[in-house]
Amino acid sequence: MQLIADMHMHTVASTHAYSTLGEMVHAAAQKGLYAVAITDHGAKIPGSPGQWYFENLRVVPRILEGVLVLRGQETDVLDRDGSIDLTEHDAKFLDWIVASIHSQAFAPARGDVDAVTQAWLNVAKNPKVNVIGHSGTAGYEYDYERVIPEFGREGKLVEINEGTFLVRPQSAGNCVKILKFCKKHRVPVIVDSDSHFHTRVGCCDRCLKALSEIGFPEELVVNADIGRFREYLKKHTRVFEDPAAAPALQTN
C-alpha cells in the first residue's frame, strides 16, 4: 500500500518538534507525497504556538514544492462534553482538524471509559473535526463497538498513528482493536506519521504492517489513493474553494 498524504505533523511552532514548516514540506516533496497537513497543537498543550500562528498560516502557499499544504491544528479534547481547544477565531483560517486526547488537557481521570466514550461521541458530532487522532492511547480506552460506527456516520476519519507504534508501544494493541472495529463497520481510516522531525514525514511502516496483518481493506484507507483523498477533501473541507488550490485539482 502506498500512502499519498501525511495529514498529522508538528513543526518548531509546537516547541517539542524540531523542524520548520518548510523542512517538513520539502521532505514530503522528496518522498512524492501529494498533500500534507501542518497540525501544530492548540492552546491547552504546553509550548503550543502563539496567538496569531494559526490565523497567519494563510501566508503559506497552498501549493509548495508541488505539495498541497493544508493549514491545520491538532486540537485537544477537554472533557466528556467533547469540548475542544480550537477557537472559533482560529477555525475560520484552518482546513484540517485532528482531535486528540492528551493527559495534559483532558479533565476526566485516566481509565474513565464512560467519560472517554461520551467525549468521543460528542466530538463525532462536531462538524469542524476531520480526524479522530491516535484514540488508542492506553488509559483512554472507550467503547469501540459503540463509538466507531458513529465516527463513520459523521464523516470522521479514524487515525492510525505511526507515533503510537513508535513511542507508545503500550497502546499498539488498542490501535489494532480499533482497526478491527473499523474493518467490521466499514469506517474509513487515515494513516499518519505524527512526525516531529522532517526525516519522519511519510514514514508509517509500522501502521502499514498492522493493516496488512489483519487484512484491512485498502479502499477504506483514505490517504492510499489520490482520488479517494480528494473526494474526502471536497466533501468535508473548503480546500478546493481556494483558487490557489486549483493546480492540485489537475493532478492525476
Side-chain angles (χ1 to χ4, degrees), residues 39-248:
T39 54
D40 285 305
H41 284 285
K44 292 297 183 179
I45 293 297
S48 60
Q51 180 179 358
W52 299 311
Y53 173 79
F54 294 105
E55 175 179 348
N56 208 41
L57 281 173
R58 56 189 169 180
V59 306
V60 177
R62 180 64 76 187
I63 308 292
L64 188 59
E65 296 192 51
V67 178
L68 177 65
V69 180
L70 274 68
R71 303 150 188 171
Q73 181 183 113
E74 182 177 15
T75 188
D76 254 81
V77 182
L78 305 178
D79 52 40
R80 67 184 296 131
D81 294 329
S83 306
I84 56 177
D85 66 351
L86 173 68
T87 68
E88 291 293 332
H89 177 81
D90 287 342
K92 294 185 293 185
F93 301 97
L94 298 175
D95 312 308
W96 191 256
I97 304 300
V98 179
S100 303
I101 288 176
H102 296 92
S103 60
Q104 295 88 342
F106 192 63
R110 293 181 74 94
D112 189 339
V113 174
D114 180 67
V116 180
T117 297
Q118 291 302 316
W120 282 130
L121 287 171
N122 287 317
V123 170
K125 299 173 185 176
N126 189 329
K128 295 182 176 67
V129 172
N130 303 102
V131 175
I132 304 303
H134 55 69
S135 67
T137 301
Y140 295 97
E141 291 85 354
Y142 55 99
D143 186 340
Y144 304 134
E145 181 68 66
R146 181 181 176 192
V147 177
I148 285 173
E150 292 302 316
F151 290 154
R153 279 189 278 272
E154 297 292 345
K156 305 302 183 246
L157 303 178
V158 177
E159 182 186 69
I160 306 304
N161 183 298
E162 184 73 5
T164 294
F165 287 88
L166 187 63
V167 302
R168 295 183 293 273
Q170 71 277 16
S171 304
N174 290 336
C175 295
V176 173
K177 289 179 185 177
I178 288 167
L179 274 176
K180 290 179 178 177
F181 279 106
C182 289
K183 179 182 178 181
K184 175 183 177 180
H185 294 289
R186 303 286 298 174
V187 173
V189 305
I190 191 162
V191 181
D192 292 322
S193 70
D194 195 1
S195 51
H196 289 62
F197 193 65
H198 65 275
T199 59
R200 298 298 306 168
V201 171
C203 295
C204 297
D205 292 347
R206 293 168 180 81
C207 292
L208 295 177
K209 180 181 178 183
L211 290 165
S212 176
E213 286 176 347
I214 69 165
F216 194 85
E218 184 171 335
E219 66 269 19
L220 291 179
V221 182
V222 167
N223 60 329
D225 178 80
I226 288 179
R228 190 158 56 241
F229 179 72
R230 292 196 306 197
E231 282 303 309
Y232 182 87
L233 293 184
K234 290 175 188 176
K235 184 175 181 180
H236 296 283
T237 77
R238 299 167 296 185
V239 173
F240 289 147
E241 297 173 11
D242 182 350

